[in-house]
Amino acid sequence: MPLYLNNDTQDLKHYYRDLFVDKSGALKVFNQILETREHFVCVSKPHCFGKTHMAALINAYYSKGSNTKAFFDDLEISKDKNYLKHLNKHNVLWLNIYSEIFANSGRLELKDIVHFITHRILKELEEKYHISFTSQTLSDALKTLYYQKGERFIIIIDDFDVPYRKFGNQEKDLKEYMLFLDSLINTKDASLFTELVYLTGVLPMKKVSAKPLPNLREYTQLHSYELTPYYGFTLDEAKKAKDEGLFSKASVDERLVIKNQLDKIKSEIDKT
């Protein structure tokens, strides 16, 4: 099974068990963004606000490697007029930068990250498309696939800002890492070989990028615009979870994960 390209998706309701909340309405927004000039999205919010959960939904919905119609048929996205047009119809590359670093017990250094990720993805692409790439950069490989085979990609880069938070004093290597990101979100070719790029982090991209990113849509904690209801729990969702007893069903680990964002909401509900 591929690790990055069109990775098959588990049943997310089973994965989240009793704590699953339907946030698939955000996919309607991404369907509108898809293939527009400004299809580069960065969502920056504190930990435990559902950024990775949304990455999983994006992969499950768009990826050709998944068969998730039965899963999404009962969710909000199924009411969208473009629901079936995009369901499991796209190539998806999913990178989790945090996992790449800490899967090796934190031994993967910043200078190795770009090479490590690129090498593994190129191997998957070569096996999938029966091609040998002359260049060893990911952007060049995707450009080759676009021009030779007409292939385009949705790219998910989860926790893109971890290198800035873990290796903040390694300026030279951070510049190389930013060039890697830049090649996927801020070039003319990237607009061609990508259909959607979804980045997540705690830090906004504008805090770490040294150059303007005119095509990037930034969604922050203070300015989430049309995506606001789809990250964290709304008051109505938290009240429903309380009424259904979902807080008491959560495991200890699950309670710790959601504690920071739910404590204040639960106190508001208790007053009603």
Side-chain angles (χ1 to χ4, degrees), residues 207-236:
K207 290 287 188 181
V208 300
S209 177
K211 54 195 292 190
L213 300 167
N215 294 330
L216 184 71
R217 300 170 184 246
E218 289 253 32
Y219 296 89
T220 66
Q221 183 69 356
L222 293 178
H223 302 289
S224 294
Y225 308 109
E226 68 271 29
L227 289 179
T228 298
Y230 303 114
Y231 290 88
F233 287 84
T234 66
L235 191 61
D236 287 342

Side-chain angles (χ1 to χ4, degrees), residues 5-265:
L5 177 63
N6 294 330
N7 191 304
D8 195 8
T9 303
Q10 301 180 43
D11 184 332
L12 294 180
K13 283 184 177 177
H14 172 76
Y15 180 75
Y16 286 97
R17 299 192 294 278
D18 295 314
L19 288 176
F20 180 83
V21 176
D22 181 7
K23 297 290 185 176
S24 68
L27 297 170
K28 295 186 292 185
V29 178
F30 294 127
N31 282 345
Q32 294 170 358
I33 294 173
L34 201 70
E35 296 191 70
T36 65
R37 179 178 176 81
E38 297 178 341
H39 61 248
F40 304 95
V41 173
C42 181
V43 175
S44 56
K45 290 180 178 291
H47 295 296
C48 303
F49 265 80
K51 302 183 297 293
T52 298
H53 170 67
M54 188 60 65
L57 281 179
I58 290 171
N59 181 71
Y61 176 64
Y62 290 113
S63 174
K64 291 180 178 179
S66 299
N67 181 11
T68 50
K69 186 176 185 300
F71 171 72
F72 283 106
D73 273 350
D74 295 329
L75 302 184
E76 182 181 347
I77 183 58
S78 65
K79 301 172 185 177
D80 183 51
K81 64 180 181 180
N82 291 317
Y83 168 55
L84 294 176
K85 176 182 177 181
H86 295 295
L87 179 65
N88 304 143
K89 297 292 198 310
H90 300 265
N91 292 312
V92 178
L93 284 170
W94 187 1
L95 296 68
N96 186 302
I97 305 302
Y98 178 92
S99 295
E100 297 294 352
I101 295 173
F102 292 99
N104 294 287
S105 300
R107 293 192 295 270
L108 189 61
E109 295 297 327
L110 177 57
K111 62 183 177 64
D112 302 320
I113 290 174
V114 173
H115 173 75
F116 182 79
I117 293 173
T118 300
H119 174 74
R120 294 173 67 168
I121 294 178
L122 291 190
K123 184 177 180 181
E124 288 189 11
L125 292 172
E126 288 179 336
E127 291 177 356
K128 169 68 175 178
Y129 295 106
H130 308 290
I131 189 173
S132 295
F133 298 111
T134 55
S135 172
Q136 292 302 301
T137 68
L138 179 56
S139 59
D140 282 348
L142 297 178
K143 181 169 67 173
T144 296
L145 288 172
Y146 172 74
Y147 282 111
Q148 291 191 11
K149 298 181 179 292
E151 298 290 347
R152 303 182 71 197
F153 296 83
I154 291 173
I155 302 177
I156 301 168
I157 306 177
D158 203 10
D159 289 324
F160 86 89
D161 63 330
V162 168
Y164 294 93
R165 292 186 279 117
K166 178 174 173 59
F167 306 105
N169 61 340
Q170 300 181 27
E171 186 174 340
K172 179 181 177 181
D173 294 328
L174 284 172
K175 286 182 178 179
E176 181 181 348
Y177 175 69
M178 189 64 222
L179 287 174
F180 168 73
L181 294 180
D182 204 54
S183 69
L184 301 175
I185 64 176
N186 198 33
T187 67
K188 180 179 178 181
D189 289 326
S191 297
L192 297 175
F193 62 67
T194 63
E195 297 177 292
L196 174 70
V197 179
Y198 174 81
L199 302 100
T200 77
V202 174
L203 300 174
M205 178 62 76
K206 63 184 178 183
K207 290 287 188 181
V208 300
S209 177
K211 54 195 292 190
L213 300 167
N215 294 330
L216 184 71
R217 300 170 184 246
E218 289 253 32
Y219 296 89
T220 66
Q221 183 69 356
L222 293 178
H223 302 289
S224 294
Y225 308 109
E226 68 271 29
L227 289 179
T228 298
Y230 303 114
Y231 290 88
F233 287 84
T234 66
L235 191 61
D236 287 342
E237 289 168 346
K239 187 176 188 306
K240 180 180 178 183
K242 181 189 178 185
D243 291 344
E244 295 178 355
L246 298 189
F247 293 143
S248 61
K249 293 180 181 179
S251 68
V252 173
D253 288 341
E254 289 169 331
R255 289 180 188 176
L256 289 174
V257 168
I258 63 175
K259 183 178 187 298
N260 287 339
Q261 66 165 302
L262 291 187
D263 276 351
K264 291 183 180 180
I265 296 177

